[in-house]
Amino acid sequence: MEEEEEAIGYLDKILEDEEDLEPGTPTSPGLGSPFLASEKRDAGKGLEMRKLVLSGFLASEEIYINQLEALLLPMKPLKATATTSQPVLTIQQIETIFYKIQDIYEIHKEFYDSLCPKVQQWDSKVTLGHLFQKLASQLGVYKAFLDNYKVARETAEKCSQSNNQFQKISEELKVKGPKDSKENHTSVTMEGTCMRCGEGDLLKHTPADHPDYPLLQDALRISQNFLSSINEDIDPRRTAVTTPKGETRQLVKDGFLVELSEGSRKLRHVFLFTDVVLCAKLKKTAVGKHQQYDCKWYVPLADLVFPAPEESEPCPQVHTIPDHELEDMKMKISTIKSEVQKEKAGKGQSRAIERLKKKMFENEFWLLLNSPTIPFRIHNRNGKSYLFLLSSDYERSEWREAIQKLQKKDLQAFVLSSVELQVLTGSCFKLRTVHNIPVTSNKDDDESPGLYGFLHVIVHSAKGFKQSANLYCTLEVDSFGYFVSKAKTRVFRDTTEPQWNEEFEIELEGSQSLRILCYEKCYDKTKLNKDNNEIVDKIMGKGQVQLDPQAMPTKNWHMDVIEMNGIKVEFSMKFTSRDMSLKRTPSKKQTGVFGVKISVVTKRERSKVPYIVRQCIEEVEKRGIEEVGIYRISGVATDIQALKAAFDANNKDILVMLSDMDINAIAGTLKLYFRELPEPLLTDRLYPAFMEGIALSDPAAKENCMMHLLRSLPDPNLITFLFLLEHLKRVAEKEPINKMSLHNLATVFGPTLLRPSEVESKGHLTLASDIWSHDVMAQVQVLLYYLQHPPISFAELKRNTLYFSTDV
């Protein structure tokens, strides 16, 4: 209430000052005194007073229009010189300084031209409430003017300082603000532009049964709401500028997205307002200068459509970065993180830390730009389509839902003028809710680094579906600042209550959230998305849980329910930290195969390669070698445990189990076998030598060293390693189909085959992530070296043993 009274008082002050104002002030028309409630009135006297109010109104309006004309007078010659070789102002500067003044003039000229004949030919039956109602409905133009006022004043002041001709024009148009203003403006000021509505006086002298009465009431209501809106202390993050209809345009959502523009990836900041989506990028500015956005394009929501998959145009080929390059970059980032931690722990120089952080930011930015592959296309029904690439289907769904919710309102198409677009884009910097690019190097030191290790998740069941469908779930976690899909349940067909009961092991890399998405599987091939040639499944619901390092269960399973769009998904989870997962634990029972030395197993089986290795590889080559993501995608943990138990017990039905089992579970069983060996396949003894050998820069020296190390392995280890090596090469031959390159396979198997059974405690390393990242890159490189090497023969290696010492 105080603010509204202050606004009304301010309006009265403008009324008092009106005689002092020089021509050129776009104060509003003389529309009266404070708003008064209507009282009981004498009808005859009331009509006479009504005419007097209107006559005064008309005179005030005439003065106001003359003032506007005077202010607009220099605009035409200024525009004429703008296209010459010696312009006084540029077109952009003219549009900024005189923004909306022409519109205000036209609104009041039309109002005056319509009102004047009615007052001159006055009688008691004249109706003019509709004119005031229309005038009140156009108050949004003043809001747009006020939003631009600061920019207009700053532009005028700069132009006055740099151009003598404009300074003279500015002096002629100099006006005074309110009497209590402490500022002495030497440029075109528009302090007086504030709406002064006198519908209250007119309403006071209009009979309640007159046709104008409800129209004037409505005009008064609109005026009062407008006054309140420009005086309220509104949250600056939510209010932006006005829509063409004069309504408040609010920011609903914003964030960083990767746009595919002219064949290359560009990081954009996308702003979703109540009636428009705007795509922008931050301008490069000098140090200390105010940052601003540059608008790349905008689409009014009334014109925005999401093309159906079958309707979308085939997009240009998206350049996809090979997985091994992305994995390499992750390793580099992890290594730099370790170096930063060491510098901090050793009280290193701040300059060295800043240099490392800068390098980490550059690498993370590259990863953020090149990782996303999920297409999100929006189309302007009047023209162009725009394609974003996202890393998370959850995020794509959030953007789509937010836009579709706004489109349920009565929206109108429009085109923004260059100045309106400038004002809207200029508001983005102060309105944005996402301030930093989502990379971990932007985090403050006191922020949680997230979880490093393995999250075990069991997706039990779901209920709340209204009709039977083919249903499955996917799991996403954040990694390196963005979300990625990590696991997927099987499709439970034709049900309203799916019972998956599937367990997954998800590797966490600084993760803070787990997302679960529930889909209905689509088998209709006409629903193919031409942006990535994949069938689009319908998201039935989605939800998210925070991974709190303090509250995460590490021993016992914690069961939880996540509600999403009326659907309830039941799941359990527990966490294993990386330092725990690094440990190899020998089996207490020596009768099985898991956790038992490879030499013991081969001797017992009287074989050169363990039976489990031979059978799993045979099954993968028989029906899984073309499986997309073979060895990378997690198998169902319960299936893997069943196979583990069967191999340990030497179950006679193992071959039947293998033939019936999901191929990812078989691949997972093979990885688990090597991971649970009491010492790595390439042995603890030789580990330091492998690390030194892979670091050699001379190719001949490296070749001699790496071959010598293989000869130094015990026979069961060497034969098994060579057997696995040839298998992985055959898998990589199918890379165009299974998407598994030699580098991908080295990333999956390198740490499994080389990681030592004991990790020495290193005092200067404070995070599990440091321990993890320190040697992983080298472990991957060792296996990759052998995978890229021409075929290695056991017999040939042994023949050459005579020429080398066996000491390492």
Side-chain angles (χ1 to χ4, degrees):
M1 284 301 292
E2 282 183 57
E3 288 160 341
E4 188 164 325
E5 285 169 9
E6 183 185 332
I8 293 167
Y10 180 63
L11 294 177
D12 285 339
K13 195 166 285 184
I14 292 171
L15 277 171
E16 291 166 15
D17 292 347
E18 187 170 49
E19 291 179 9
D20 296 329
L21 292 175
E22 297 175 21
T25 317
T27 60
S28 234
L31 300 183
S33 54
F35 313 121
L36 300 171
S38 61
E39 301 167 350
K40 290 182 180 179
R41 57 189 68 80
D42 176 83
K45 186 180 177 183
L47 286 171
E48 187 181 337
M49 284 299 296
R50 193 163 181 256
K51 183 183 177 183
L52 286 172
V53 169
L54 284 167
S55 298
F57 212 105
L58 206 57
S60 179
E61 191 75 0
E62 189 173 352
I63 294 168
Y64 181 63
I65 290 169
N66 288 336
Q67 291 174 339
L68 288 171
E69 282 179 340
L71 189 58
L72 288 169
L73 201 61
M75 191 172 77
K76 290 178 183 177
L78 284 171
K79 279 189 174 180
T81 65
T83 55
T84 66
S85 59
Q86 292 182 315
V88 178
L89 300 178
T90 65
I91 289 290
Q92 187 72 30
Q93 289 168 336
I94 294 166
E95 285 189 352
T96 302
I97 293 169
F98 293 91
Y99 181 63
K100 290 296 179 188
I101 296 174
Q102 182 72 41
D103 292 346
I104 293 169
Y105 169 76
E106 288 171 3
I107 287 168
H108 289 283
K109 186 74 168 66
E110 183 188 350
F111 176 74
Y112 177 83
D113 291 345
S114 302
L115 183 64
C116 188
K118 289 182 179 289
V119 176
Q120 288 173 349
Q121 300 167 11
W122 179 255
D123 69 51
S124 60
K125 295 179 181 177
V126 166
T127 57
L128 34 75
H130 61 287
L131 299 178
F132 285 89
Q133 192 180 40
K134 184 177 180 181
L135 181 64
S137 70
Q138 293 171 311
L139 288 172
V141 176
Y142 280 88
K143 180 65 168 69
F145 173 87
L146 291 169
D147 286 334
N148 180 67
Y149 170 64
K150 185 179 177 184
V151 177
R153 192 175 72 179
E154 288 172 355
T155 305
E157 286 173 353
K158 285 178 184 175
C159 292
S160 291
Q161 291 165 8
S162 61
N163 189 296
N164 289 332
Q165 284 179 279
F166 184 70
Q167 189 175 21
K168 289 176 184 176
I169 296 169
S170 178
E171 285 296 323
E172 289 172 14
L173 294 173
K174 181 181 175 183
V175 297
K176 294 184 289 183
K179 286 181 181 177
D180 59 350
S181 173
K182 293 180 182 178
E183 296 183 21
N184 178 25
H185 302 305
T186 57
S187 60
V188 181
T189 64
M190 286 127 189
E191 294 269 358
T193 303
C194 186
M195 293 307 298
R196 294 178 290 124
C197 302
E199 291 95 337
D201 280 340
L202 191 57
L203 186 65
K204 177 182 176 181
H205 300 295
T206 301
D209 57 354
H210 194 283
D212 277 347
Y213 193 80
L215 299 177
L216 289 171
Q217 266 191 322
D218 189 50
L220 179 60
R221 178 188 57 78
I222 294 169
S223 302
Q224 287 176 325
N225 286 340
F226 175 77
L227 253 181
S228 297
S229 73
I230 62 173
N231 283 285
E232 280 177 1
D233 182 22
I234 302 170
D235 180 359
R237 293 197 324 169
R238 299 296 295 172
T239 303
V241 291
T242 48
T243 67
K245 293 169 68 177
E247 298 170 350
T248 303
R249 176 178 282 137
Q250 292 183 320
L251 179 66
V252 177
K253 180 178 174 64
D254 69 300
F256 288 94
L257 298 180
V258 174
E259 183 187 14
L260 190 68
S261 176
E262 298 176 352
S264 61
R265 293 166 180 257
K266 308 284 186 184
L267 190 67
R268 307 295 196 209
H269 200 151
V270 181
F271 295 85
L272 175 61
F273 291 94
T274 40
D275 64 337
V276 64
V277 60
L278 184 145
C279 179
K281 75 165 189 175
L282 264 179
K283 288 182 181 178
K284 288 184 179 178
T285 52
V287 178
K289 292 284 185 180
H290 180 66
Q291 284 191 302
Q292 288 183 321
Y293 281 99
D294 178 27
C295 175
K296 304 308 294 183
W297 51 264
Y298 71 92
V299 180
L301 297 190
D303 292 329
L304 189 151
V305 290
F306 296 110
E310 62 271 20
E311 297 170 351
S312 62
E313 295 293 324
C315 76
Q317 186 63 38
V318 179
H319 174 61
T320 306
I321 300 294
D323 282 351
H324 69 85
E325 289 187 29
L326 298 174
E327 292 301 324
D328 272 353
M329 187 57 76
K330 289 180 183 179
M331 294 294 182
K332 287 178 184 175
I333 293 166
S334 296
T335 302
I336 295 171
K337 280 183 183 176
S338 299
E339 291 174 14
V340 170
Q341 292 297 327
K342 289 175 196 171
E343 287 286 342
K344 286 182 178 178
K347 300 287 195 317
Q349 291 184 354
S350 59
R351 190 176 296 177
I353 293 172
E354 286 307 311
R355 191 167 60 248
L356 286 169
K357 281 190 171 182
K358 183 183 177 185
K359 186 66 179 172
M360 186 163 79
F361 174 83
E362 289 169 359
N363 289 345
E364 287 191 308
F365 184 84
W366 183 92
L367 196 62
L368 184 73
L369 203 60
N370 290 289
S371 295
T373 57
I374 298 172
F376 175 52
R377 184 180 290 277
I378 61 176
H379 180 70
N380 186 333
R381 70 173 84 247
N382 299 319
K384 197 174 175 185
S385 282
Y386 303 94
L387 179 63
F388 294 106
L389 297 173
L390 283 67
S391 62
S392 158
D393 205 12
Y394 191 104
E395 187 180 3
R396 176 169 66 173
S397 174
E398 280 191 323
W399 278 100
R400 184 187 288 266
E401 287 171 10
I403 290 169
Q404 288 174 333
K405 184 177 179 181
L406 292 169
Q407 287 181 322
K408 290 178 182 176
K409 298 174 184 176
D410 179 28
L411 297 172
Q412 292 182 5
F414 57 86
V415 176
L416 295 173
S417 70
S418 60
V419 177
E420 285 174 322
L421 184 58
Q422 182 189 3
V423 171
L424 180 59
T425 308
S427 73
C428 288
F429 190 81
K430 69 172 182 178
L431 294 170
R432 60 186 181 159
T433 60
V434 180
H435 292 80
N436 294 319
I437 294 170
V439 292
T440 55
S441 47
N442 275 341
K443 282 186 177 181
D444 294 331
D445 289 341
D446 57 353
E447 283 188 67
S448 168
L451 289 168
Y452 289 85
F454 293 90
L455 183 68
H456 304 268
V457 181
I458 302 174
V459 183
H460 296 291
S461 59
K463 56 186 177 182
F465 298 97
K466 292 176 181 175
Q467 56 189 40
S468 292
N470 304 314
L471 304 165
Y472 70 93
C473 284
T474 64
L475 307 178
E476 293 182 356
V477 294
D478 52 322
S479 169
F480 293 91
Y482 59 92
F483 279 85
V484 285
S485 184
K486 287 283 193 177
K488 175 181 172 182
T489 69
R490 66 184 185 276
V491 178
F492 214 98
R493 302 191 66 140
D494 196 25
T495 182
T496 56
E497 294 191 1
Q499 300 282 330
W500 295 291
N501 292 312
E502 294 183 56
E503 183 184 337
F504 301 95
E505 182 183 81
I506 298 171
E507 186 176 353
L508 303 182
E509 297 168 291
S511 307
Q512 294 179 311
S513 301
L514 167 70
R515 289 172 170 176
I516 300 181
L517 295 93
C518 193
Y519 293 84
E520 179 181 357
K521 181 71 179 172
C522 174
Y523 294 100
D524 183 354
K525 291 185 179 179
T526 64
K527 304 291 184 186
L528 197 73
N529 188 329
K530 293 176 185 175
D531 287 322
N532 62 353
N533 290 320
E534 291 183 5
I535 293 175
V536 179
D537 295 334
K538 182 182 177 183
I539 295 179
M540 305 298 288
K542 63 186 192 303
Q544 177 171 300
V545 290
Q546 294 302 117
L547 302 176
D548 183 356
Q550 274 72 46
M552 281 301 296
T554 54
K555 291 183 179 179
N556 300 318
W557 289 96
H558 171 70
M559 186 176 281
D560 207 344
V561 173
I562 194 164
E563 294 194 32
M564 45 175 86
N565 195 28
I567 300 161
K568 293 183 179 181
V569 175
E570 192 176 79
F571 67 100
S572 297
M573 61 182 180
K574 67 177 180 178
F575 172 68
T576 305
S577 63
R578 263 195 178 153
D579 52 349
M580 290 299 294
S581 67
L582 289 170
K583 294 180 180 177
R584 293 178 183 267
T585 308
S587 173
K588 292 178 182 177
K589 294 180 181 179
Q590 291 296 300
T591 54
V593 293
F594 283 83
V596 179
K597 284 186 178 181
I598 196 166
S599 57
V600 173
V601 172
T602 51
K603 187 176 181 180
R604 186 204 310 144
E605 293 179 352
R606 296 178 183 176
S607 62
K608 292 181 178 179
V609 176
Y611 178 72
I612 182 174
V613 176
R614 286 182 281 123
Q615 290 306 314
C616 287
I617 284 177
E618 184 180 319
E619 200 64 35
V620 168
E621 293 197 356
K622 188 188 297 180
R623 60 188 179 91
I625 204 161
E626 295 187 350
E627 183 80 11
V628 174
I630 188 70
Y631 289 120
R632 180 176 57 80
I633 291 177
S634 300
V636 178
T638 44
D639 290 346
I640 293 171
Q641 291 302 317
L643 281 173
K644 176 184 175 181
F647 276 113
D648 269 340
N650 195 20
N651 193 315
K652 293 177 182 179
D653 297 327
I654 190 71
L655 294 178
V656 177
M657 284 181 71
L658 284 170
S659 62
D660 290 342
M661 196 67 75
D662 174 67
I663 199 65
N664 288 315
I666 295 168
T669 303
L670 181 64
K671 289 190 294 180
L672 183 66
Y673 169 73
F674 286 117
R675 196 162 76 212
E676 291 196 358
L677 284 173
E679 77 163 351
L681 186 65
L682 299 189
T683 72
D684 286 329
R685 183 175 67 92
L686 296 177
Y687 181 74
F690 276 114
M691 295 297 100
E692 290 171 11
I694 200 63
L696 292 173
S697 54
D698 180 71
K702 183 183 283 189
E703 165 78 8
N704 286 335
C705 180
M706 298 301 280
M707 289 303 109
H708 172 56
L709 288 170
L710 285 187
R711 292 184 199 100
S712 305
L713 286 169
D715 282 1
N717 297 61
L718 176 57
I719 296 169
T720 301
F721 178 68
L722 294 178
F723 186 79
L724 175 66
L725 206 61
E726 291 310 305
H727 164 65
L728 295 179
K729 287 181 181 181
R730 288 191 290 273
V731 171
E733 286 172 4
K734 300 288 185 181
E735 181 189 354
I737 303 169
N738 63 31
K739 311 298 183 192
M740 293 300 291
S741 64
L742 288 175
H743 196 289
N744 287 34
L745 293 163
T747 302
V748 171
F749 277 95
T752 301
L753 301 179
L754 279 138
R755 188 183 68 240
S757 51
E758 292 290 333
V759 178
E760 295 177 16
S761 62
K762 301 174 183 179
H764 62 274
L765 296 178
T766 56
L767 292 175
S769 57
D770 297 327
I771 301 169
W772 182 259
S773 64
H774 194 64
D775 289 338
V776 165
M777 196 183 297
Q779 293 163 8
V780 171
Q781 291 302 319
V782 168
L783 181 54
L784 185 61
Y785 180 85
Y786 291 122
L787 285 169
Q788 292 173 336
H789 197 280
I792 303 167
S793 159
F794 175 77
E796 190 68 28
L797 278 172
K798 288 300 179 181
R799 238 191 326 269
N800 291 334
T801 305
L802 298 172
Y803 303 105
F804 295 91
S805 165
T806 55
D807 294 331
V808 176

